Amino acid sequence: AFPVAIAVAIGIPLLRSRNVRNYFFVALLVLMGVLILAVHLALQGRFELSPRLGLQLALDVVLFIMVVMVSRVIPMFTNNGVPGANATRHALVEKLALGAVILLFAADLLQLPQTVIAMIALTSALAHGVRLSLWKPWRTFATPLVWILHAAYAWIILHLALRGLLALELMTGSYATHALAVGAIGGLTLGMMTRTARGHTGRPLIADGFEISAFLLIQVAAVVRVFGGIASPELYLVSVPLSALLWAAAFGLYTVRYWPV
C-alpha cells in the first residue's frame, strides 16, 4: 500500500498543476504496488509467480526511478555546488542508459535467457559508467553534499556489473541486490534527504560532521555488505549484522540531526 499511497499523495498536486512531465512517476509507483501485491499473493500460494522474480522486478522499477531522477539533479547540483565542475549530459548516452534499464526490466519480466540478461546488464553498466564520467565525480571530493550523490550512483553501475557477472555464472550470491539496496538506494536517499532538508529550509548547503559521518557510514555499510562475503565466505555471517549496524547508525545520525529541522 505504501507506493500506492505515495502515488496518490503526489498524483493529486501533479494533476492540479498539470505537471505532465512527472506523471510517469505516479504510474511507476502504482506498478511497484502491483508487484508488491503479486509477491504477497505468490507467498500465500494464490498467484503463480516466483516471489524472487517479483522482488527483482520491483527493484528494477526503483532502479529506473533513480536513474531518471539523478539525470535531473546530479549534473545541476554538481555545477551549482562545485564551481568549474562543468558536469554535462550527452543525449545519446542518456538514451542508452535509460533504455538499457527498461530493457533489463523487460528481460526480467519475460525471463529471457541469462546470457541475454548478462549482455543487457553489462551494456547498461558501461552506459551508466560513461554517464557518470560526464558528471566529473572526481571534482566533488571536497563537497560532501555532492559526492554522496555520485557515490550512490557508482553503486548503480556496480549493481549492473554484478548482475551481468551473476547471469554469466561467474559469481554467486545476492551481492548485486545489496549493491543496489544498501549502496545506491541507501546512499541516494540519505544524500537527497539531507540536501533538500537544508535547501528547503533556507540553511546553508554545507555538510557538517553529522552529515559527513552519516555519508561515510552508509558507504562503509555497502562495502561491508557487498564485499565481505565476496572476499571470504567466513566473513559473510559477520558482514550481514555489521552492515545492518552501520546502516542503522547512518540513518540514526540523520534522525538526531534533522528531527529539529
Side-chain angles (χ1 to χ4, degrees):
F2 186 57
V4 178
I6 300 173
V8 173
I10 70 171
I12 293 173
L14 287 177
L15 285 170
R16 286 176 177 170
S17 61
R18 297 184 180 179
N19 192 338
V20 179
R21 180 172 178 246
N22 289 312
Y23 283 178
F24 78 100
F25 280 116
V26 176
L28 290 172
L29 288 165
V30 171
L31 176 58
M32 282 183 62
V34 170
L35 289 168
I36 293 169
L37 176 62
V39 169
H40 283 288
L41 292 176
L43 288 170
Q44 295 174 11
R46 301 180 183 182
F47 190 80
E48 192 62 33
L49 174 77
S50 164
R52 175 68 190 175
L53 175 60
L55 173 62
Q56 184 61 66
L57 291 172
L59 287 173
D60 287 345
V61 174
V62 178
L63 172 62
F64 184 69
I65 290 174
M66 289 194 298
V67 297
V68 170
M69 185 188 73
V70 297
S71 70
R72 299 180 180 182
V73 300
I74 290 184
M76 178 179 64
F77 289 171
T78 301
N79 289 329
N80 290 344
V82 185
N86 194 30
T88 59
R89 296 171 62 187
H90 190 283
L92 179 58
V93 174
E94 290 295 307
K95 290 176 181 177
L96 287 173
L98 298 179
V101 173
I102 295 174
L103 282 177
L104 187 60
F105 174 86
D108 287 334
L109 178 63
L110 299 173
Q111 299 184 63
L112 296 182
Q114 290 298 302
T115 51
V116 175
I117 291 177
M119 182 177 64
I120 295 172
L122 292 174
T123 301
S124 182
L126 179 60
H128 286 276
V130 173
R131 193 188 197 202
L132 178 60
S133 71
L134 293 173
W135 298 341
K136 315 292 174 46
W138 57 88
R139 295 186 177 179
T140 68
F141 296 144
T143 313
L145 287 179
V146 179
W147 71 245
I148 182 60
L149 304 179
H150 287 264
Y153 189 66
W155 283 104
I156 289 178
I157 299 169
L158 182 61
H159 160 73
L160 292 166
L162 291 176
R163 279 215 63 187
L165 295 177
L166 181 65
L168 292 174
E169 298 183 351
L170 295 177
M171 65 178 299
T172 58
S174 56
Y175 304 114
T177 298
H178 301 307
L180 178 65
V182 183
I185 297 175
L188 193 60
T189 299
L190 197 60
M192 287 300 296
M193 287 197 305
T194 301
R195 186 182 181 90
T196 52
R198 281 189 167 275
H200 290 206
T201 56
R203 287 170 169 79
L205 293 176
I206 300 173
D208 61 19
F210 273 91
E211 286 95 351
I212 295 173
S213 297
F215 295 164
L216 291 175
L217 283 167
I218 201 69
Q219 292 303 306
V220 177
V223 169
V224 169
R225 188 66 184 90
V226 173
F227 293 105
I230 294 177
S232 170
E234 289 76 19
L235 294 176
Y236 177 78
L237 292 178
V238 177
S239 69
V240 176
L242 178 57
S243 176
L245 182 63
L246 292 166
W247 168 286
F251 281 92
L253 281 178
Y254 175 86
T255 302
V256 171
R257 177 67 181 83
Y258 282 89
W259 188 267
V261 175

